[in-house]
Amino acid sequence: VKGKEQITRRLEEGRIRKGDGLVYMQDTYISYVTDNSEQFGKALKVFLDKDNYPILVNCSMGKDRTGYLTAILLFALGIPEETIIKDYMASNENINIGHLAYMARDLSTNAQETITTLVTVNEGLIDLVLKRIRKDYGSVDKYLSKGLHLTDKKRDALKEIMLY
């Protein structure tokens, strides 16, 4: 949250630099693996109880934490990585940023770039986080079991609930 407040304040004050939005988003996605695995692990546990369905997953924009959790859930279900990335990128087709064009017309190009980066998904971000997972854990499967405490038994239970 601190980083979000900082970038928002810098946007409001006109002190944003080219690339600041991307750096912020990269830091955010890396933190999902390095600082927030416990929260994502708890979120995945919700899917293990049939009584919780239907489940609504959302966040402030519905693309970053939601997109990451959905991607991790799809990995747990054994969905191919290429399909998961296509699903993640589909957010850009469903996020209407048209209303921002009017609001951003008088901002600097650096501010416009930052806002665009903050409200869209970028394949480079999901690629970055997957590289970090593989660096820290060796594989997405090991991240699921060690980082998120989603054992093979729990993954089988998820598949039974969600796929069959």
Side-chain angles (χ1 to χ4, degrees), residues 22-86:
L22 183 58
V23 170
Y24 166 75
M25 292 306 299
Q26 289 170 335
D27 289 347
T28 298
Y29 273 69
I30 292 298
S31 77
Y32 295 162
V33 179
T34 60
D35 303 330
N36 297 301
S37 286
E38 185 178 331
Q39 288 177 318
F40 284 105
K42 285 179 183 177
L44 287 174
K45 286 182 183 175
V46 172
F47 290 89
L48 289 167
D49 185 346
K50 287 182 183 182
D51 291 337
N52 291 332
Y53 287 80
I55 298 170
L56 172 67
V57 177
N58 69 324
C59 60
S60 59
M61 287 289 296
K63 65 175 191 69
D64 298 312
R65 287 169 293 181
T66 298
Y68 180 73
L69 177 63
T70 302
I72 294 303
L73 179 62
L74 293 173
F75 273 109
L77 294 171
I79 305 301
E81 184 172 325
E82 179 181 312
T83 303
I84 294 169
I85 291 172
K86 283 172 106 173

Side-chain angles (χ1 to χ4, degrees), residues 82-98:
E82 179 181 312
T83 303
I84 294 169
I85 291 172
K86 283 172 106 173
D87 181 72
Y88 169 81
M89 291 303 296
S91 289
N92 284 333
E93 298 167 21
N94 298 299
I95 296 172
N96 180 2
I97 63 168

